């Protein structure tokens, strides 16, 4: 054995020396060759950096995989330099389409992409799977996905396949790691991922036991693609691919898909001999190659980094251009600015017209009221008190008007002494947004018909007026006015003439009252006047003047119409100390005036207080109504404006009093909320609605749901088994999606933690949430993004005044556009005419509800409507 080893070693030594000589000769020959022409043809290939084993980042941040090795081999075969860029998939597609790359790798082919790309033949087939959280079961085919929100990677080809399967709701993520993390945190239950990278990241993130594969959505095929019509690059691409043999491709793929690497076993003696020879050889070659190799390597690194930085710069430029943002760079030390063209364009200028580009120019263009605020925030940012600078400012357009700008920026460098050096930021025109907010605010606070403050704004003003009167130790008077027999005008002449009458009444009231008194329309034919002390000393005289002016004739549609008014007056602090109390007492005095024959004025008194006993009696009877079986559940259809079919319903409560007959909810619901009886009554109507939702679902299909109003009182009440709607649905075996809970905007403006908890429980159960009477209250609307809201119900006051091109039309359209942008559906209440229906269809409203279709009807009558619709649908088929 020793003799054999010695012979083997000598033989091996001779072969190695021969090899080293050849290497040395080749190296010297290579060193004498000129460097490759830098102007040779080159292409940029871009793809997803999130797709092992085809292309991904290794532990050192290097781009590796089958695709990386393929392009190295392709480059050798063709002599064409290849720059391989790996980035997020959505950005990869954008870079190709914008011309910053020539070829995109690993792309699936579908009908939508056919319009933008030209594809090579498929070179790999990959299964695309539907994965689900372990808590979700029963997923076996694409048909079951239509009602779910599916998580996908931005720009992924499976979005097209999911849309074909009926999926309409998606949540988009930058990469598979984000998708898996979102599934683990409960943001999404179902996701679509290609199997190869899915298995890799599930194993790496230790999530393969929590996120399970449900079924194969489709078999995707990898292609390479170029921009549509780029035939030259396509031919070059295919010519290089054809030069790579099948054996070379098989070897390349085996390297990354698990083929075992064979390793020879050498004796210790051979290894030591080889090591010695290599040291000698490397020493000989070092003098020849060291400098040239180092220079080439550094040059390649610099070139690669430069290309990556250029692509990143182009990507950021494209993003900024897409936002239509102006950009600025401020040298804090010199006060000079650099602006892009868009910055000047927003203001109607060219850059040349704004020379010099310094702080004084920016100050000259900025509204004086906003400049100081802006500079204060900038100073706080430069001092490190706030991380970013951001401020909404007004700037003057070249045409003379003011536009709103959101100005954002950040300090990016300091001087060696630590002083602020350079600050960069953006300008974005938000004038349309500000105008829309102003329009919504005005609609929320002013009556669209009379242009007077509405009920919401009135309540705000009365509280402020009482607080000011208390501070100054002054009196305050409140007058409530209600037109007599106004309903008769509406019934005889129509709502249009009634609206004309209300507008004229509002004008006459304003003419009688001096500023700073507040005149408001509270709704319907009810008006209010807040009178500070000293403005109208003779309240009786003011009341008489109002009755006299209002009772004068009105010309409506060529007819003379007469109405009178009943007025109630309450005063602070004699009659009341709080806003609610003074309103209540004025209201009681006004109704006392009506009971005395109308067209009269009454001051609140103790005698009027006796009338409260009637309310007490109503509350007493109401407490027994549920136990005595006097409550009735009625249902009003909600119709799809797309096809005119009933698709949902709203459950409404009625009280069949044994003596007083059918009592309007407008009378007993406020009393029930005050007494707390609304909780038991609300639970009763909920159970009735849930039972009927389950009963009628076979007639209506899977999307059928019944809306149930939930009072704020019910939200903050301590839950028990009877009042826990989520528990009740589970016990009844009713799916959560069969119920829509209707709440008011006010409940979400300053939500109690209990309210947030209830809403989260509804979301988890699949119960949908609708905002009732949307637009009648005012807020920043931030709750629309904070909470999972499904529907907005446009208040009937908007629908009633709807006409082509008027303010109500514009505001309704704005609400619908906003809702659709947020992924919400819109239901219009109070639809009474075909014109209102047609206008709502024109502005793409989703659903309608109102007397035009049907008033609220008992359950058996509503069921007959559903049966009839079902029969008609069967006949039509």
């Amino acid at each position: 054995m020793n003799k054999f080893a010695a012979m083997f070693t000598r033989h091996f030594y001779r072969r190695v020396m021969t090899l080293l000589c050849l290497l040395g000769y080749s190296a010297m020959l290579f060193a004498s060759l000129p460097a490759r022409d830098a102007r040779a043809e080159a292409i940029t290939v871009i793809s997803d950096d999130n797709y092992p084993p085809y292309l991904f980042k290794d532990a050192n941040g290097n781009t590796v995989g089958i695709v990386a090795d393929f392009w190295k081999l392709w480059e050798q075969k063709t002599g064409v330099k290849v720059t391989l860029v790996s980035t997020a998939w959505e950005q990869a597609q954008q870079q190709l389409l914008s011309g910053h790359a020539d070829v995109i790798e690993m792309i699936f082919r579908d009908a939508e992409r056919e319009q933008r790309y030209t594809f090579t033949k498929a070179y790999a087939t990959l299964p695309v799977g539907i994965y689900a959280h372990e808590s979700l079961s029963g997923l076996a085919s694409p048909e079951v996905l239509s009602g779910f929100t599916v998580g996908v990677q931005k720009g992924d080809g499976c979005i097209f396949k999911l849309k074909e399967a009926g999926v309409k709701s998606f949540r988009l993520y930058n990469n598979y790691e984000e998708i898996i993390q979102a599934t683990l945190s409960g943001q999404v239950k179902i996701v679509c991922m290609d199997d190869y990278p899915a298995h890799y990241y599930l194993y790496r993130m230790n999530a393969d036991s929590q996120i399970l594969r449900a079924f194969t959505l489709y078999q995707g095929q990898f292609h390479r693609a170029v921009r549509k019509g780029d035939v030259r690059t396509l031919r070059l691409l295919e010519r290089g691919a054809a030069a790579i043999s099948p054996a070379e491709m098989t070897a390349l793929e085996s390297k990354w898909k698990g083929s075992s690497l064979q390793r020879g076993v050498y004796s210790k003696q051979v290894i030591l001999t080889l090591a010695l020879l290599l040291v000698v050889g490397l020493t000989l070659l070092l003098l020849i190659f060291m400098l040239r190799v180092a220079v080439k390597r550094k040059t390649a690194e610099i070139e690669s980094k430069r290309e990556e930085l250029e692509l990143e710069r182009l990507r950021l430029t494209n993003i900024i251009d897409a936002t239509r943002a102006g950009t600025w760079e401020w040298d804090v030390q010199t006060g000079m600015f650099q602006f892009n063209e868009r910055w000047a364009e927003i203001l109607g200028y060219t850059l040349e017209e704004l020379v010099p580009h310094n702080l004084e120019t920016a100050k000259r263009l900025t509204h004086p009221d906003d400049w100081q605020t802006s500079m204060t925030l900038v100073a706080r940012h430069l001092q490190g008190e706030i991380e970013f600078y951001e401020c909404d400012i007004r700037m003057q357009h070249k045409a003379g008007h003011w536009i709103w700008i959101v100005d954002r920026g950040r300090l990016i460098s300091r001087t060696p002494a630590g002083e602020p050096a350079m600050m960069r930021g953006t300008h974005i025109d938000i004038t349309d947004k500000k105008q829309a907010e102003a329009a919504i605010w005005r609609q929320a606070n002013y009556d669209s018909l009379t242009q007077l403050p509405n009920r919401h704004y009135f309540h705000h003003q009365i509280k402020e007026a009482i607080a000011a009167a208390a501070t100054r130790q002054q009196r305050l008077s409140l007058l409530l006015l209600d037109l007599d027999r106004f309903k008769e005008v509406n019934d005889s002449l129509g709502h249009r003439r009634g609206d004309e009458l209300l507008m004229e009444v509002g004008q006459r009231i304003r003419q009688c009252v001096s500023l700073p008194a507040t005149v408001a329309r509270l709704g319907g034919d009810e008006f209010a006047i807040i009178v500070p002390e000293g403005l109208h000393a003779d309240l009786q005289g003011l009341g008489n003047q109002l009755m006299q002016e209002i009772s004068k004739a009105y010309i409506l549609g060529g007819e003379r119409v007469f109405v009178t008014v009943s007025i109630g007056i309450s005063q602070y602090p004699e009659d009341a100390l709080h806003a609610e109390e003074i309103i209540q007492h004025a209201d009681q005095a006004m109704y006392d005036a009506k009971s005395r024959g109308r067209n009269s004025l009454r001051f609140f008194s103790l005698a009027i207080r006796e009338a409260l006993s009637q309310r007490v009696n109503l509350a007493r009877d109401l407490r027994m109504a549920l136990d005595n079986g006097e409550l009735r559940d009625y249902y009003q259809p909600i119709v799809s404006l797309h096809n005119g079919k009933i698709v949902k319903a709203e459950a409404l409560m009625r009280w069949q009093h044994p003596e007083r007959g059918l009592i309007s909810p407008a009378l007993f619901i406020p009393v029930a909320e005050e007494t707390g009886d609304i909780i038991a009554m609300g639970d009763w109507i909920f159970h009735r609605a849930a039972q009927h939702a389950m009963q009628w679902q076979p007639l209506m299909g899977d999307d059928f749901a019944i809306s149930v109003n939930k009072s704020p009182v019910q939200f903050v009440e301590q839950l028990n088994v009877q009042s826990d709607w989520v528990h009740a649905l589970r016990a009844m075996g009713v799916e959560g999606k069969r119920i829509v809970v209707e709440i008011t905007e006010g409940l979400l403006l300053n939500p109690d933690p209990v309210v947030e908890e209830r809403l989260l429980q509804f979301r988890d159960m699949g119960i949908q949430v609708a905002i009732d009477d949307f637009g009648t209250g005012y807020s920043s609307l931030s709750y629309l993004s904070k909470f999972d809201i499904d529907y907005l119900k446009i208040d009937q006051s908007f629908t009633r005044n709807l006409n082509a091109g008027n303010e109500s039309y514009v505001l309704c359209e704005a609400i619908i556009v906003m809702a659709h942008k947020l992924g919400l559906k819109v239901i219009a209440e109070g639809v009474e005419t075909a014109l209102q229906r047609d206008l709502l269809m024109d502005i793409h409203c989703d659903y309608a509800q109102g007397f035009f279709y049907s008033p609220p009807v008992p359950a058996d009558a509503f069921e007959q409507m559903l049966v009839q619709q079902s029969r008609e649908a069967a006949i039509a088929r």
Side-chain angles (χ1 to χ4, degrees):
M1 290 296 294
N2 292 335
K3 181 179 179 181
F4 176 80
M7 291 175 62
F8 177 83
T9 300
R10 288 194 300 271
H11 177 73
F12 183 82
Y13 179 82
R14 287 196 299 271
R15 290 296 182 93
V16 170
M17 290 302 297
T18 301
L19 176 62
L20 288 176
C21 291
L22 289 173
L23 287 172
Y25 178 80
S26 298
M28 288 184 290
L29 179 63
F30 175 79
S32 66
L33 292 175
R36 181 182 172 191
D37 186 2
R39 295 172 297 175
E41 186 175 13
I43 63 171
T44 298
V45 180
I46 196 160
S47 189
D48 190 1
D49 64 351
N50 188 34
Y51 206 103
Y54 281 86
L55 198 67
F56 61 102
K57 301 285 188 182
D58 65 12
N60 297 319
N62 300 316
T63 301
V64 297
I66 295 172
V67 169
D69 286 358
F70 168 85
W71 283 106
K72 290 176 183 177
L73 185 57
W74 189 94
E75 187 179 59
Q76 296 173 10
K77 296 289 186 178
T78 62
V80 176
K81 179 175 175 55
V82 177
T83 301
L84 178 61
V85 179
S86 60
T87 184
W89 181 236
E90 183 182 41
Q91 296 173 3
Q93 296 179 70
Q94 294 173 355
Q95 290 294 328
L96 178 67
L97 295 176
S98 63
H100 298 127
D102 305 291
V103 180
I104 188 167
E105 260 285 5
M106 301 189 304
I107 186 167
F108 287 178
R109 188 172 187 171
D110 58 44
E112 291 181 353
R113 291 174 174 172
E114 286 281 359
Q115 300 175 12
R116 302 191 298 271
Y117 307 106
T118 299
F119 294 82
T120 65
K121 295 180 181 179
Y123 64 86
T125 299
L126 305 102
V128 179
I130 295 298
Y131 292 77
H133 192 268
E134 62 178 347
S135 62
L136 196 63
S137 62
L139 300 178
S141 65
E143 290 74 23
V144 302
L145 300 178
S146 60
F148 289 95
T149 296
V150 180
V152 296
Q153 181 175 251
K154 294 179 180 177
D156 202 317
C158 71
I159 295 176
F160 180 81
K161 293 294 183 180
L162 288 168
K163 286 181 177 179
E164 288 184 337
V167 177
K168 298 181 181 178
S169 178
F170 297 91
R171 285 197 177 178
L172 305 181
Y173 299 92
N174 291 316
N175 52 55
Y176 279 13
E177 292 174 285
E178 285 188 10
I179 292 176
I180 294 170
Q181 190 59 49
T183 309
L184 294 176
S185 64
Q187 293 180 20
V188 67
K189 294 286 188 180
I190 301 174
V191 297
C192 180
M193 298 188 289
D194 296 359
D195 282 358
Y196 276 129
H199 295 163
Y200 174 84
Y201 285 112
L202 286 171
Y203 177 81
R204 197 179 79 175
M205 297 174 70
N206 197 26
D208 48 355
S209 63
Q210 297 170 272
I211 301 175
L212 307 177
R213 194 178 191 278
F215 60 87
T216 298
L217 179 64
Y218 70 104
Q219 293 283 345
Q221 291 186 318
F222 268 172
H223 299 260
R224 301 179 182 95
V226 298
R227 290 183 299 279
K228 193 71 175 179
D230 189 358
V231 178
R232 177 178 176 275
T233 303
L234 182 66
R235 289 175 178 172
L236 176 63
L237 173 60
E238 292 176 337
R239 187 166 63 251
I244 299 173
S245 69
E248 289 174 316
M249 282 304 303
T250 300
L252 188 152
E253 292 184 353
S254 297
K255 172 184 175 182
W256 295 100
K257 290 186 177 180
S259 295
S260 60
L261 298 175
Q262 301 299 322
R263 179 177 299 174
V265 180
Y266 300 95
S267 68
K268 184 176 180 180
Q269 182 180 9
V270 173
I271 293 174
L272 290 174
T273 302
L274 179 61
L276 179 61
L277 292 174
L278 285 175
V279 169
V280 174
L282 289 173
T283 303
L284 294 173
L285 291 173
L286 183 62
L287 295 175
I288 301 173
F289 293 110
M290 182 179 292
L291 183 60
R292 187 175 187 87
V293 170
V295 170
K296 285 186 177 182
R297 182 185 298 114
K298 196 64 179 178
T299 302
E301 289 177 1
I302 293 172
E303 180 66 18
S304 177
K305 181 61 68 175
R306 186 192 66 79
E307 292 174 350
E308 289 182 8
L309 291 174
E310 179 63 17
L311 282 175
E312 183 67 13
R313 187 191 69 79
L314 291 172
R315 185 180 71 84
L316 292 175
T317 300
N318 289 338
I319 292 173
I320 292 175
D321 289 344
T323 63
R324 299 290 291 154
T327 61
W328 53 264
E329 186 175 279
W330 177 35
D331 188 327
V332 183
Q333 298 299 311
T334 66
M336 297 304 294
F337 278 88
Q338 287 188 7
F339 305 119
N340 69 352
E341 290 286 350
R342 177 59 182 160
W343 192 95
E345 180 185 327
I346 291 173
L347 301 174
Y349 293 93
T350 63
L351 284 175
E352 291 74 16
E353 293 176 299
L354 294 177
V355 173
H357 299 162
N358 56 22
L359 196 62
E360 286 302 316
T361 298
K363 181 178 180 180
R364 173 175 57 83
L365 295 169
T366 305
H367 196 287
D369 294 344
D370 299 333
W371 177 257
Q372 189 59 46
T373 302
S374 172
M375 288 296 99
T376 300
L377 290 173
V378 168
R380 290 183 61 197
H381 172 59
L382 295 180
Q383 293 166 9
E385 295 181 19
I386 54 178
E387 185 175 1
F388 297 93
Y389 157 71
E390 182 172 350
C391 188
D392 291 353
I393 60 175
R394 286 163 290 179
M395 300 191 74
Q396 193 165 33
H397 193 274
K398 183 179 181 180
H401 60 276
W402 295 98
I403 62 174
W404 279 100
I405 299 291
V406 58
D407 187 16
R408 296 190 180 101
R410 187 177 186 180
L411 186 68
I412 62 169
S413 64
R414 291 184 178 272
T415 66
E419 296 295 321
M422 190 68 68
M423 189 172 175
R424 287 177 183 162
T426 60
H427 271 194
I428 298 177
D429 186 351
I430 58 169
T431 305
D432 291 343
K433 174 177 175 288
K434 288 286 188 179
Q435 290 174 346
E437 287 179 351
I440 292 175
W441 183 91
R442 182 167 182 83
Q443 183 62 40
N445 290 278
Y446 278 80
D447 174 45
S448 60
L449 184 64
T450 63
Q451 303 307 309
L452 294 173
N454 61 13
R455 182 182 294 274
H456 173 269
Y457 194 53
F458 162 75
H459 279 281
H460 171 76
Q461 289 295 96
I462 191 67
K463 289 176 183 177
E464 285 200 344
I466 290 177
T471 301
R472 299 168 187 162
Q473 296 185 343
Q474 294 179 340
R475 292 182 176 180
L476 179 76
S477 301
L478 173 63
L479 286 72
L480 287 186
L481 298 79
D482 192 88
L483 300 183
D484 302 324
R485 297 188 175 88
F486 174 72
K487 185 176 183 300
E488 297 177 6
V489 176
N490 267 344
D491 292 343
S492 60
L493 300 181
H495 288 292
R496 179 179 177 184
R497 302 306 178 197
D499 290 346
E500 292 176 3
L501 174 62
L502 291 173
M503 289 188 289
E504 180 63 28
V505 169
Q507 291 177 4
R508 293 186 185 185
I509 294 174
R510 279 186 291 192
Q511 291 171 358
C512 294
V513 179
S514 305
L515 294 175
T518 298
V519 179
R521 181 193 174 202
L522 304 185
D525 58 349
E526 189 175 6
F527 295 83
I529 307 172
I530 304 172
V531 182
E533 181 177 353
L535 190 61
H536 289 279
D538 183 6
L539 291 175
Q540 181 71 51
L542 173 61
N544 292 336
Q545 182 185 3
L546 287 166
M547 289 189 291
Q548 180 179 354
E549 289 298 321
I550 291 173
S551 63
K552 291 180 180 179
Y554 300 84
I555 307 300
L556 304 176
E559 295 189 30
R560 291 169 61 87
V561 177
F562 295 89
V563 294
T564 57
V565 65
S566 297
I567 304 176
I569 301 177
S570 178
Q571 295 180 290
Y572 168 89
E574 292 91 336
D575 302 329
L577 296 177
H578 307 290
E580 293 77 9
E581 193 177 16
I582 195 172
I583 294 170
Q584 182 184 40
H585 290 173
D587 190 62
Q588 292 168 0
M590 183 265 290
Y591 276 106
D592 187 63
K594 280 190 176 294
S595 67
R596 292 175 177 269
R598 301 182 176 88
N599 192 28
S600 61
L601 178 150
R602 294 284 290 169
F603 285 82
F604 177 78
S605 66
L606 292 177
I608 293 176
R609 192 187 300 272
E610 295 300 322
L612 291 175
S613 62
Q614 295 295 326
R615 191 177 185 88
V616 172
N617 292 336
L618 186 67
R620 180 196 62 211
D621 294 347
L622 186 59
R623 188 165 289 109
M624 302 299 296
L626 185 58
D627 293 336
N628 293 339
E630 298 170 8
L631 296 182
R632 304 286 184 269
D633 55 321
Y634 276 53
Y635 298 87
Q636 187 172 30
I638 298 175
V639 176
S640 168
L641 287 172
H642 174 67
N643 56 24
K645 302 296 184 183
I646 299 172
V647 292
K648 303 179 189 300
E650 180 178 359
L652 300 165
M653 201 183 321
R654 298 292 185 265
W655 180 14
Q656 186 68 43
H657 194 280
E659 297 176 359
R660 300 172 61 179
L662 199 62
I663 299 178
S664 168
L667 294 177
F668 70 82
I669 292 296
V671 177
E673 289 182 331
E674 290 179 11
T675 62
D677 291 323
I678 190 64
I679 297 170
M681 296 166 63
D683 293 338
W684 177 85
I685 190 68
F686 163 74
H687 280 82
R688 297 289 295 171
Q691 291 168 0
H692 282 118
M694 183 168 54
Q695 175 185 339
W696 294 333
Q697 189 269 330
L699 289 171
M700 297 300 296
D702 193 54
D703 292 335
F704 180 67
I706 296 181
S707 299
V708 183
N709 289 279
K710 193 172 181 72
S711 166
V713 178
Q714 294 171 269
F715 265 94
V716 297
E717 184 66 19
Q718 185 67 34
L719 283 182
N720 54 45
V721 175
Q722 288 74 29
S723 59
D724 187 344
W725 289 10
V726 172
H727 180 272
L729 286 178
R730 288 179 179 147
M732 297 167 66
V734 179
E735 296 179 281
K737 65 180 181 179
R738 299 285 165 242
I739 295 296
V740 179
V741 175
E742 293 193 9
I743 60 178
T744 59
E745 286 181 280
L747 187 68
L748 302 180
L749 299 189
N750 295 294
D752 187 283
V754 176
V755 174
E756 296 191 36
E757 181 183 350
R758 300 286 189 272
L759 291 175
L760 287 174
Q761 290 175 349
F762 289 162
R763 182 199 65 187
D764 293 342
M765 182 64 180
I767 298 173
Q768 301 175 88
V769 177
I771 302 299
D772 197 14
D773 302 331
F774 181 76
T776 57
Y778 170 72
S779 73
S780 66
L781 302 182
S782 61
Y783 65 83
L784 291 180
S785 58
K786 180 178 180 182
F787 300 101
D788 282 336
I789 306 300
D790 300 282
Y791 301 95
L792 297 183
K793 298 192 74 173
I794 298 178
D795 186 66
Q796 60 183 343
S797 61
F798 295 176
T799 310
R800 182 185 306 117
N801 299 318
L802 196 62
N803 212 328
N806 69 357
E807 186 176 1
S808 291
Y809 181 91
V810 173
L811 286 165
C812 285
E813 185 176 27
I815 291 172
I816 292 168
V817 170
M818 176 191 68
H820 287 173
K821 289 285 186 181
L822 295 174
L824 311 180
K825 298 292 187 181
V826 181
I827 303 171
E829 297 181 296
V831 178
E832 298 181 353
T833 67
L835 176 61
Q836 294 168 352
R837 176 203 60 191
D838 294 342
L839 292 174
L840 289 168
M841 292 174 65
D842 288 344
I843 55 180
H844 306 295
C845 186
D846 302 290
Y847 307 105
Q849 175 182 356
F851 277 49
F852 177 75
Y853 298 101
S854 171
V857 296
D860 54 351
F862 184 76
E863 183 172 349
Q864 289 302 313
M865 296 170 66
L866 300 184
V867 170
Q868 179 63 28
Q869 179 173 286
S870 180
R871 289 174 179 168
E872 292 174 355
I875 294 173
R877 287 197 294 267

